[in-house]
Amino acid sequence: MKLSITILPGDGIGPEVVAEAMKVLEAVASKFGHELDVSAHPFGSSGLESAGSGFPDETRDACMSSPAIFLGAVGDPRHDHLPPNERPEKALLHLRRLIESFANLRPVVAQFVSPTSPFKSETLKGVDLLIVRELTGGLYFGEPRGFEGEGKDRRAINTLRYSTHEIDRIARVGFDAAMKRRRHVTSVDKSNVLETSKLWREVVDSVAKDYPDVKLEHMLVDRAAMEIIANPASIDVMLTSNLFGDILSDEASMLAGSMGLLPSASLGGKIGLYEPVHGSAPDIVGKGIANPVGAIASMAMMLLYSFDLEDEAKLVERGIESSFAAGCVTADLSDTPKSTEDVGDHIARFVADA
Ligand code: IPM
Ligand code: MN
């Protein structure tokens, strides 16, 4: 099979973790006889610098011409002074909108109990949850937005807006996922305060009627933040709006051991977007300590969701498990760490030798 993929290494540690994921992808391709058709393009701060735009036209054309996009990370402190509309992060939001990837899947599994974990091992037992985050609506995109007025009258405005259609389609992704898992959906909102959340609850309730085998629980977002810490193993699918999912997924990443472990897939349109959940981590760039597992696990999600290659995806996941079992992990997880490259090499070798 020919695997056409647009690669956006992006900023900060993005290129470092993408390089390791590519190593693993090459091992998969040669083992299973797939042909790789990959090309890398500037995006985010690196796009601003090399092409004067966070999302250059040339990159946009490449993104639209392949079924899968693989992204490292965006963001650079050198561009922090820019207005929201010109920041590198805006490129990512544009991309998500452009390809209509409204459903962001963020699995969190506690596979590796690290000595650096703030959790007791009993709390982590059986933790295997999936955050299904709405990705192309809500506070991130609502209009009107912007600044107005001067001096003490200067104001900033963002709008939280959700339509029935947007809630319905993300809820169905959550329930469909639950059907393949433990059949439990925890829908997160703030319906004691927000109108958008009241609508969210109504629409999720009506979608639930089509899934009689799935247990639905509504939970206020503040309590959800607490349950992720107190009873994480009781959560199966957590269904959230855009901003709530952004916040809760960083929180939940600590259950896995580190931000650096979490993968994501953004689906819904014809093109899939795969990226580790972590950011560009400018403080650790070039040190060889970035954790490549989030990126490598995102590659496994790409093999599964965009190319339907289940055996290949499973093998990559087993490679990740093998790196944990061998203690081949980066500094975020161990006091006797291995480098970014060592971890990538271990997983690529596991795939090649399997
Ligand atoms: C994420 C990131 C992005 C988001 C940023 C970089 C715009 O934090 O993917 O979680 O907020 O969605
Ligand atoms: Mn985030």
Side-chain angles (χ1 to χ4, degrees), residues 110 113 117 119-127 229-234:
V113 181
S117 174
F119 293 98
K120 291 192 197 123
S121 54
E122 303 97 84
T123 310
L124 296 178
K125 218 173 180 176
V127 169
I229 303 295
N231 295 302
S234 69

Side-chain angles (χ1 to χ4, degrees), residues 69-118:
I69 303 168
F70 190 78
L71 170 73
V74 291
D76 189 306
R78 280 173 301 173
H79 292 124
D80 278 354
H81 64 281
L82 291 174
N85 234 342
E86 292 164 34
R87 287 180 65 107
E89 287 83 356
K90 197 71 185 189
L92 179 55
L93 301 182
H94 272 151
L95 173 60
R96 289 171 177 171
R97 255 291 169 91
L98 180 72
I99 62 170
E100 295 172 79
S101 54
F102 65 84
N104 184 220
L105 309 184
R106 300 189 158 184
V108 180
V109 186
Q111 282 175 305
F112 180 79
V113 181
S114 125
T116 56
S117 174

Side-chain angles (χ1 to χ4, degrees), residues 189-195 197-199 201 218 220-221:
D189 63 44
K190 187 70 185 172
S191 61
N192 51 348
V193 177
L194 302 174
E195 283 76 5
S197 280
K198 275 198 83 76
L199 182 66
R201 228 176 239 225
H218 293 289
L220 297 174
V221 64

Side-chain angles (χ1 to χ4, degrees), residues 95-97 99-107 130-137 141 162 165-177 200 237-242 245 263-275 301 305-306:
L95 173 60
R96 289 171 177 171
R97 255 291 169 91
I99 62 170
E100 295 172 79
S101 54
F102 65 84
N104 184 220
L105 309 184
R106 300 189 158 184
L130 176 69
I131 296 180
V132 175
R133 170 190 175 196
E134 199 290 324
L135 200 62
T136 52
F141 293 96
Y162 266 116
H165 166 68
E166 288 173 299
I167 302 167
D168 181 280
R169 66 184 184 176
I170 191 66
R172 288 183 193 280
V173 172
F175 280 91
D176 284 338
W200 182 277
V237 172
M238 187 167 253
L239 174 66
T240 76
S241 62
N242 202 343
S264 83
S266 302
L267 310 172
K270 291 194 185 74
I271 299 169
L273 169 64
Y274 302 87
E275 46 175 322
M301 292 185 91
Y305 291 110
S306 279

